[in-house]
Amino acid sequence: MTSFETTQSSAASGSRLLVDRQALWAALDEALNAEVASATDDLRWLAVQTVASAPQRRALIGSLSLPQGSRVLDVGCGFGAATIELAGQGDVVTVGVDSDSDTLEAASRISGSLAGRSTSASLRTEFASGDVYALPFPDGSFDFVFSRFVFQHLADPLRAAGEVARVLASGGKACVVDVDDGLSISDPAPSEAFVALAGALRASQAARGGDRFIGRRLAGLLDRSGLVPGPLIVLPQAAYHRPDPAGAERSLMLERLRFARSAIISGGHLSAGEFDRALADFAGEDQGPSCEIEAHLAVFASKPHDAPPGP
């Protein structure tokens, strides 16, 4: 028995191997942190975000009940963290799909490093190159489709929702998770420097067709694609911060802003001087205690049993 496996016996199914999630997550964190250390500038923010968002992602995935034998698709898998964590939910096969060859290579590398500690019978993952607007799978290929923090970046999210519906089997379910900046509160109010930087970041994403308020639109998009939305779950995060200029939250935001600098400046949302001054002001702020609340939205939807096989 490997370090990821525990044995569960039942009269119906006999003895079978299950994944020890805590051991899996610890090994996955180790592999992801190695990617953070070695990632190129273009991928570093994604790697950092993947590590930082693990607790919320795992809480959601850990709440899922996937029937034995399910075939699961992770759309926009990035480094494959959710793909691997979904595989750890039980006797399922998970497929991660992404259009970025570098992240797919990293995902395969991470999955391969974990395979040395786990058997293919207890952790089954695959990775494929594909476009969210034309997923490379036949109609009705999957029992469950998962997508997290992808739709906010899409110029045509309705078309992507249609692809999710197409590859879902009759009776299958989808879970799409994303941001909505309207679900954000802080006290005291953010500084002028941070407001300028956050506004430029939002404008830069919108100029590329993205939408930082996509959360409130997800249910409607899935509905228009032939799925039946429900339930909708708000995933809140709240924290009280004592003064700590080097704290994890501040470091994560600075990393994100540095990553976005080129796009913000080239898009004309701030000049180089404006950006650099605002970033320096934000980084050097003598912050007092603060309370911050934000939330993401998880929208579940099902495909009716009498739905046609195509889009």
Side-chain angles (χ1 to χ4, degrees):
M1 187 176 297
T2 73
S3 60
F4 288 169
E5 299 168 354
T6 59
T7 301
Q8 174 175 299
S9 299
S10 70
S13 62
S15 178
R16 63 188 182 92
L17 294 175
L18 299 177
V19 172
D20 179 341
R21 294 177 195 167
Q22 295 300 323
L24 172 63
W25 293 348
L28 179 56
D29 285 343
E30 181 181 334
L32 287 169
N33 280 310
E35 293 296 330
V36 170
S38 62
T40 63
D41 289 344
D42 287 345
L43 294 180
R44 179 173 168 77
W45 160 243
L46 178 60
V48 169
Q49 183 192 47
T50 301
V51 172
S53 63
Q56 188 195 61
R57 183 181 65 245
R58 290 169 182 171
L60 175 62
I61 290 176
S63 72
L64 300 175
S65 178
L66 301 175
Q68 290 187 41
S70 291
R71 190 161 171 83
V72 178
L73 177 65
D74 179 17
V75 177
C77 65
F79 285 94
T83 314
I84 292 166
E85 289 157 1
L86 285 161
Q89 284 299 104
D91 182 19
V92 301
V93 175
T94 61
V95 180
V97 62
D98 205 290
S99 60
D100 188 284
S101 60
D102 290 332
T103 57
L104 282 175
E105 182 180 342
S108 296
R109 184 166 57 246
I110 291 169
S111 180
S113 72
L114 300 181
R117 311 187 199 186
S118 179
T119 67
S120 59
S122 61
L123 191 66
R124 294 180 289 171
T125 59
E126 305 169 10
F127 294 97
S129 177
D131 186 342
V132 68
Y133 298 130
L135 293 171
F137 309 106
D139 297 352
S141 296
F142 297 95
D143 305 292
F144 187 82
V145 176
F146 185 79
S147 186
R148 185 171 182 264
F149 297 161
V150 173
F151 276 59
Q152 62 171 299
H153 300 291
L154 302 179
D156 192 353
L158 180 60
R159 184 178 170 192
E163 279 294 279
V164 169
R166 181 185 66 79
V167 300
L168 263 182
S170 178
K173 298 183 183 299
C175 176
V176 180
V177 184
D178 226 311
V179 301
D180 192 313
D181 279 358
L183 301 175
S184 180
I185 303 170
S186 64
D187 183 69
S191 68
E192 183 177 336
F194 180 76
V195 169
L197 291 166
L201 186 66
R202 191 179 298 120
S204 176
Q205 188 165 328
R208 299 191 302 274
D211 182 1
R212 292 286 303 177
F213 298 93
I214 192 69
R216 66 192 67 180
R217 298 178 55 206
L218 292 175
L221 292 167
L222 295 171
D223 188 12
R224 291 168 63 189
S225 300
L227 303 182
V228 180
L232 281 65
I233 301 175
V234 175
L235 305 174
Q237 299 179 97
Y240 176 78
H241 303 292
R242 292 179 172 173
D244 183 6
E249 293 80 9
R250 173 69 67 86
S251 298
L252 181 63
M253 179 52 69
L254 288 170
E255 186 81 34
R256 180 183 179 191
L257 290 167
R258 292 185 184 109
F259 172 79
R261 182 183 186 276
S262 177
I264 288 174
I265 293 170
S266 64
H269 308 295
L270 287 175
S271 70
E274 288 170 335
F275 180 93
D276 292 341
R277 283 192 296 273
L279 188 68
D281 289 346
F282 173 60
E285 286 174 3
D286 183 15
Q287 284 194 327
S290 65
C291 179
E292 297 181 0
I293 305 168
E294 66 174 17
H296 303 139
L297 199 66
V299 178
F300 289 82
S302 58
K303 187 168 184 175
H305 285 280
D306 58 355

